[in-house]
């Protein structure tokens, strides 16, 4: 069991090809939430996060407020809207932009909890440069994620957006009205 504060580690058994040591996600800071349920593999979480490089450069966020890359080196005219994302705890399903390390690192969190994770490249975006919405992630980068759990569901995605109007999933007609108003609740 992981302690509430301090540097702890989540080991990943058998997640990688044979190596001297399996890659691990480090929990740098853990502020427990108020929820009655603890996130377990397969659960869906609605989260906000900020991802940064070791030098502090923000590479991704769900909080909005910053201009993002739209095509090549062109930036958006307007800052991005706030839009939390759904993460499947220890999810095996590929979700664009959500690395394995983030999916593993949220295990054990509760609604209202905030965790700072250090995600090594093996569980992040690997050894190749990757373009994120806000910056390029150089190959081999360790990422820091500050994650806050807004909702937790073990029944499916509909319950994550209960009593929320206008904040929807992606696609051509993405709705962001009300996304910045989402607060942590069960």
């Amino acid at each position: 069991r992981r302690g509430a504060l301090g540097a702890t580690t989540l080991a990943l058994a058998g997640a990688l090809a044979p190596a001297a040591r399996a890659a691990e996600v480090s929990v740098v800071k853990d502020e427990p939430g108020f929820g009655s349920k603890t996130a377990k593999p397969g659960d869906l979480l609605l989260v906000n996060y900020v991802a940064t490089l070791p030098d502090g450069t923000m590479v991704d966020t769900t909080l909005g407020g910053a201009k993002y890359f739209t095509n090549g080196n062109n930036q958006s005219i307007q800052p991005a809207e706030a839009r939390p994302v759904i993460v499947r705890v220890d999810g095996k399903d590929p979700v664009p932009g959500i690395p394995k390390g983030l999916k593993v690192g949220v295990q054990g969190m509760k609604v209202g909890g905030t965790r700072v994770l250090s995600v090594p490249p093996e569980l992040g975006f690997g050894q190749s440069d990757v373009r994120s919405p806000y910056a390029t992630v150089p190959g081999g980068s360790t990422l820091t994620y500050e994650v806050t759990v807004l909702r937790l569901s073990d029944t499916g995605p509909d319950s994550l957006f209960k009593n929320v109007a206008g904040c929807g999933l992606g696609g051509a007609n993405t709705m962001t009205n009300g996304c910045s108003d989402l607060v942590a609740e069960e």
Side-chain angles (χ1 to χ4, degrees), residues 53 59 69 96-97 121 124-141 143:
L53 293 170
V59 295
F69 289 104
F125 294 107
Q127 298 303 318
S128 299
D129 291 358
V130 174
R131 182 55 159 277
S132 75
Y134 299 94
T136 297
V137 178
S141 294
L143 297 170

Side-chain angles (χ1 to χ4, degrees), residues 18-73:
R21 185 176 145 181
E24 299 173 335
V25 173
S26 296
V27 178
V28 178
K29 184 177 179 184
D30 193 1
E31 296 177 13
F34 56 81
S36 60
K37 296 179 182 178
T38 300
K40 62 189 180 313
D43 286 348
L44 296 174
L45 301 178
L46 186 65
V47 302
N48 272 325
Y49 67 79
V50 176
T52 56
L53 293 170
D55 69 1
T57 300
M58 181 184 67
V59 295
D60 198 7
T61 183
T62 60
L63 299 175
K67 292 184 178 182
Y68 55 94
F69 289 104
T70 58
N71 186 14
N73 289 323

Side-chain angles (χ1 to χ4, degrees), residues 52-139:
T52 56
L53 293 170
D55 69 1
T57 300
M58 181 184 67
V59 295
D60 198 7
T61 183
T62 60
L63 299 175
K67 292 184 178 182
Y68 55 94
F69 289 104
T70 58
N71 186 14
N73 289 323
N74 297 324
Q75 283 195 318
S76 62
I77 295 170
Q78 297 294 322
E81 297 283 340
R83 191 168 130 214
V85 297
I86 297 174
V87 173
R88 182 177 303 275
V89 180
D90 199 18
K92 307 296 188 245
D93 53 317
V95 177
I98 306 293
K100 175 73 174 171
L102 180 56
K103 295 176 190 181
V104 170
V106 295
Q107 185 170 332
M109 291 185 74
K110 294 182 177 187
V111 170
T114 299
R115 191 174 275 178
V116 177
L117 306 169
S118 178
V119 177
E122 299 85 355
L123 300 173
F125 294 107
Q127 298 303 318
S128 299
D129 291 358
V130 174
R131 182 55 159 277
S132 75
Y134 299 94
T136 297
V137 178

